[in-house]
Amino acid sequence: MEIKNQKVLTWLEEMKALCKPDNVVFIDGSEAQLEELRKEAVATGEMIKLNQEKLPGCYYHRTAENDVARVEDRTFICTPTEEEAGPINNWMAPDEMYAKLKALYDGSMKGRTMYVIPFIMGTPNSPFSKVGIELTDSIYVVLNMGIMTRMGQVAMNEIGENGDFTKCLHSKKDVNPEERYIVHFPQDNTIWSINSAYGGNVLLGKKCLALRIASYLGKQEGWFAEHMLILGLENPEGEVHYICAAFPSACGKTNLAMLIPPEYLKKKGYKVWTVGDDIAWLRINPEDGKLYAINPEAGFFGVAPGTSEKTNFNALAATKKGTIFTNVAINNEDMTVWWEGLDKNPPSDATEWKGAKVDGKAYTAEGNKLAHPNSRFTAPAANCPCISKEFENPNGVPVSAIIFGGRRAKCAPLVYQSRDWQHGTFVGATMASETTAAATGAVGVVRRDPMAMKPFVGYNMATYWGHWLEMGKKLGENAPKIFHVNWFRKDDDGNFMWPGFGDNMRVLLWILDRCAGKVDADECAIGYVPKPEDIDITDLDEMSVEDVKALLTIDKAEWLKDIEDPETGIKKYFAQFGDKLPKEMADELAKLEANLS
Ligand code: OXD
Ligand code: MN
């Protein structure tokens, strides 16, 4: 690959001098080169080749036991001032961090090859797209980036002789958790990641570029980078309406994006098309003033456990070829894969995620997990049976509705609509959810996760809310309607009250009817809730209108607690932003409190 861009060449020399690799290999994106790398990874044991008849082109990878999820406590936003990063991001002065990290990178690639991976987030020649170059010492990273991004010569062409790019440096070094850092320098358009080999920390196009750096660029340039799925819902008339939805990690974005409608709706002709399952970049189209979304990724980095033919047929189908599995279990009988929730049949001759050979049936019967709860598949989006024909549209799809949601056993009803964009921004800003295995730390505790961006906002969260309000002003009448959903409400006995999965379509239909002005709603303290009879429960034998009513009730005492709670309450949360908190957010909080009292 001939590189003429001087900025690229200068940076490469600098990084080579720092990391001191034995070799440098340019990734051109060709199948021949990828195949060589797969062979090498298999030869060194970095990857295991799976059954090529049942799972053609599929491989297996195991990470270090200490390196299985995003490390939020070691993720930094290094802006010149601490205030720019804000109170919920880890911060260190850029000079100090560069000095600290340079000492770690110094010679980290000795005896290794440095791979140079040019990649595009988005499609070539799209007004939405951004390019990056990732330098890494991991073949696993190269192969995953080949699935998750448009990689190689195509990206180098996009950068051209003078173009800018995000400078991404990764070294797995010795995966020492004590010296693991995932660091962003937004002003330098630079990302440095060291001592991890877990996808979310090292596939730098994804969380690091497409969310943290891109959210910062979006603020500068007047667009949004959001932790959102994008789906198209086709009605029997053949019209497709697009919805973006932000849920925290491992709360079902992939499932909702690939939803299969209940039988009776399928028969009527309803269909769901997937545009994206994790990240949306949104811009106002200058021609019609509406908000359009693209998915900047080319693949799915999905959570495996819980994925089955029943829960997500389409995701499972997407993993049947060209997929890399990480930290799931291997069925040694036929060299295929298994995870909890795939089926009720754990393999007897299994290798669990840490590498021990076990009798899978006995092992799981004792309550052990064969697959890590955050084990993953990296699958090409093109494999997905319901991939939208707009998936590669460089101009994106127009967005009718935005949904926020979390995992809340109590409080949040099945669905409600915000009164307007400002109130919707408040609804997003006050989102909360019970934590999952996607990040290290305790699982199942309520934490506030504004717009599902807590771990991903590349600057001060309060300034980010201000950006949402600004964008709303620019959109005016064209602003998508904003909703909140909760699929995870539980009754007093701890049972889920809503079936979820494909049946979530019933809620999406109410949402689109609201957008089209086709259905009334009840205005209450928190916004608009459906009239219970307007949520279609056809064929849901176990569910009555009374049950829907229970799902939609607003327990005022719970809501007031959600505001006042000394640990997790909205007031305490907002207080940390001081005078950076937009006045509109304080006004909305006062209004909510008044409405509830
Ligand atoms: C993800 C995450 O991998 O949010 O998408 O952790
Ligand atoms: Mn995610």
Side-chain angles (χ1 to χ4, degrees), residues 169-189:
L169 176 64
H170 166 246
S171 174
K172 61 188 173 189
K173 203 174 179 188
D174 39 24
V175 289
N176 176 0
E178 304 300 324
E179 290 187 336
R180 184 168 295 155
Y181 288 95
I182 319 298
V183 181
H184 310 72
F185 302 94
Q187 278 79 358
D188 300 343
N189 204 0

Side-chain angles (χ1 to χ4, degrees), residues 90-321:
N90 299 312
W91 177 85
M92 199 185 280
D95 285 353
E96 202 184 324
M97 184 58 100
Y98 276 127
K100 186 182 183 72
L101 293 185
K102 275 184 183 163
L104 296 179
Y105 280 107
D106 190 5
S108 64
M109 296 190 189
K110 268 189 197 153
R112 294 182 184 172
T113 297
M114 173 190 271
Y115 300 96
V116 181
I117 315 172
F119 64 94
I120 310 178
M121 299 314 293
T123 52
N125 299 315
S126 158
F128 285 80
S129 294
K130 297 283 176 195
V131 265
I133 301 180
E134 177 163 353
L135 311 177
T136 180
D137 51 6
S138 158
I139 294 180
Y140 172 76
V141 168
V142 177
L143 297 175
N144 274 272
M145 289 291 283
I147 298 171
M148 295 304 294
T149 73
R150 281 95 183 167
M151 174 180 91
Q153 187 64 53
V154 65
M156 231 28 247
N157 297 346
E158 192 91 353
I159 297 175
E161 287 190 22
N162 299 307
D164 270 324
F165 59 99
T166 305
K167 301 186 276 287
C168 308
L169 176 64
H170 166 246
S171 174
K172 61 188 173 189
K173 203 174 179 188
D174 39 24
V175 289
N176 176 0
E178 304 300 324
E179 290 187 336
R180 184 168 295 155
Y181 288 95
I182 319 298
V183 181
H184 310 72
F185 302 94
Q187 278 79 358
D188 300 343
N189 204 0
T190 293
I191 303 161
W192 282 13
S193 160
I194 190 158
N195 272 312
S196 174
Y198 166 73
N201 299 326
V202 302
L203 307 178
L204 300 184
K206 191 177 177 64
K207 301 302 186 182
C208 300
L209 194 166
L211 287 176
R212 298 195 191 98
I213 293 291
S215 64
Y216 172 82
L217 294 174
K219 162 82 177 109
Q220 314 298 311
E221 300 167 5
W223 53 281
F224 282 136
E226 297 298 328
H227 193 201
M228 290 178 176
L229 67 89
I230 311 164
L231 67 81
L233 199 155
E234 182 174 332
N235 65 20
E237 291 75 48
E239 299 157 347
V240 185
H241 298 280
Y242 294 92
I243 295 175
C244 288
F247 307 148
S249 307
C251 287
K253 281 199 302 300
T254 306
N255 290 343
L256 188 67
M258 298 179 191
L259 174 154
I260 294 181
E263 218 37 57
Y264 84 99
L265 289 171
K266 242 198 282 184
K267 282 202 191 110
K268 283 190 186 172
Y270 284 98
K271 293 184 185 121
V272 167
W273 301 107
T274 308
V275 182
D277 79 325
D278 193 43
I279 297 175
W281 284 359
L282 304 117
R283 281 177 187 268
I284 301 174
N285 183 329
E287 272 160 41
D288 62 9
K290 293 188 177 147
L291 194 62
Y292 281 68
I294 65 148
N295 168 12
E297 302 190 281
F300 307 121
F301 182 63
V303 178
T307 307
S308 71
E309 264 188 39
K310 235 175 119 192
T311 60
N312 196 337
F313 174 90
N314 290 311
L316 196 61
T319 67
K320 296 298 179 192
K321 60 180 183 199

